[in-house]
Amino acid sequence: AAGVIQSPRHLIKEKRETATLKCYPIPRHDTVYWYQQGPGQDPQFLISFYEKMQSDKGSIPDRFSAQQFSDYHSELNMSSLELGDSALYFCASSERTGSVTEAFFGQGTRLTVV
Amino acid sequence: GIQVEQSPPDLILQEGANSTLRCNFSDSVNNLQWFHQNPWGQLINLFYIPSGTKQNGRLSATTVATERYSLLYISSSQTTDSGVYFCAVGRRFYNQGGKLIFGQGTELSVKP
């Protein structure tokens, strides 16, 4: 079965640089979520999109932005990177309008800021 | 917002032992999922269980939505069960919401 695809899997950036993370949801899923997981922490919700419109916003820094495109893939753009942005970034997708709203997660992008 | 508490925070088992992990949540939800995060960081879906009981091999889960808790049972544990188990809950109304709120996890270590 198709899963959520994230790229790249690993990314190393220097402070103040910019990073772009990509997410390809499961086909026919209409909702995409982004989460950030710091070392030893639980995943924290950043932002979500339903049918290409932003639907909810969590603890996402102003330096980060995201969008969902016409083919439903999503990108998380991170600017002016800081050491504290080093984390595992997950994308998840679900079918919100169905009776079952189970979310499936991609394998994550491990971002290291040096 | 909804609070999610998991217990115990850490658990060490001998291979073959059984265990029960608990998840308490502070408000009504219509989504509850259990995940296993393996040592490589991958979040693996175990159960989608907003209510009722499900079983999958050596694992089973029960959610009592009216009392706001869920239990994950692991029987005959194996070393490959090691990792962090997360409970995550969500609430969806019409086309709003749906994000998952995670508990802090239970870190399980199974010794041979």
Side-chain angles (χ1 to χ4, degrees):
Chain A
V4 179
I5 306 295
Q6 290 187 246
S7 67
R9 295 289 308 280
H10 302 273
L11 193 56
I12 300 175
K13 290 285 185 178
E14 295 188 355
K15 283 192 304 184
R16 294 180 288 279
E17 282 193 321
T18 297
T20 297
L21 280 54
K22 296 186 178 182
C23 169
Y24 296 84
I26 293 172
R28 293 185 299 280
H29 277 190
D30 52 27
T31 305
V32 166
Y33 309 85
W34 286 96
Y35 292 83
Q36 177 192 58
Q37 186 180 24
Q41 304 294 313
D42 55 283
Q44 295 290 314
F45 171 72
L46 292 178
I47 194 167
S48 63
F49 293 87
Y50 167 68
E51 285 291 342
K52 293 159 280 185
M53 299 286 290
Q54 182 182 310
S55 60
D56 202 352
K57 199 170 182 180
S59 49
I60 183 169
D62 292 341
R63 299 177 289 108
F64 294 5
S65 65
Q67 57 183 324
Q68 188 176 27
F69 295 87
S70 58
D71 65 351
Y72 289 90
H73 95 270
S74 179
E75 295 184 3
L76 178 65
N77 298 293
M78 310 159 71
S79 63
S80 303
L81 287 169
E82 302 173 356
L83 296 178
D85 296 329
S86 295
L88 190 52
Y89 290 84
F90 287 105
C91 170
S93 73
S94 70
E95 188 176 6
R96 178 178 296 183
T97 53
S99 59
V100 174
T101 59
E102 184 175 8
F104 294 86
F105 283 71
Q107 290 185 303
T109 294
R110 191 172 296 278
L111 172 67
T112 302
V113 181
V114 296
Chain B
I2 301 173
Q3 304 297 314
V4 184
E5 292 184 3
Q6 290 186 242
S7 60
D10 304 282
L11 190 55
I12 299 175
L13 297 176
Q14 208 63 35
E15 201 169 24
N18 303 330
S19 62
T20 301
L21 281 57
R22 187 177 179 103
C23 171
N24 293 332
F25 45 96
S26 61
D27 207 341
S28 61
V29 299
N30 51 23
N31 183 2
L32 189 146
Q33 294 184 236
W34 283 96
F35 297 92
H36 175 215
Q37 188 164 40
N38 63 23
W40 297 272
Q42 189 177 2
L43 280 170
I44 300 166
N45 287 41
L46 297 177
F47 292 101
Y48 169 78
I49 188 164
S51 63
T53 297
K54 290 185 177 179
Q55 180 158 8
N56 184 3
R58 296 181 296 103
L59 302 182
S60 64
T62 295
T63 297
V64 183
T66 53
E67 298 186 20
R68 298 180 185 168
Y69 73 89
S70 183
L71 302 173
L72 176 69
Y73 305 97
I74 304 174
S75 64
S76 304
S77 57
Q78 301 175 357
T79 56
T80 52
D81 294 333
S82 296
V84 182
Y85 289 79
F86 285 108
C87 167
V89 304
R91 192 161 54 194
R92 174 178 61 95
F93 297 104
Y94 305 103
N95 293 332
Q96 300 298 315
K99 68 187 178 193
L100 286 175
I101 299 166
F102 283 75
Q104 293 192 310
T106 292
E107 184 161 8
L108 175 64
S109 179
V110 181
K111 305 296 186 185

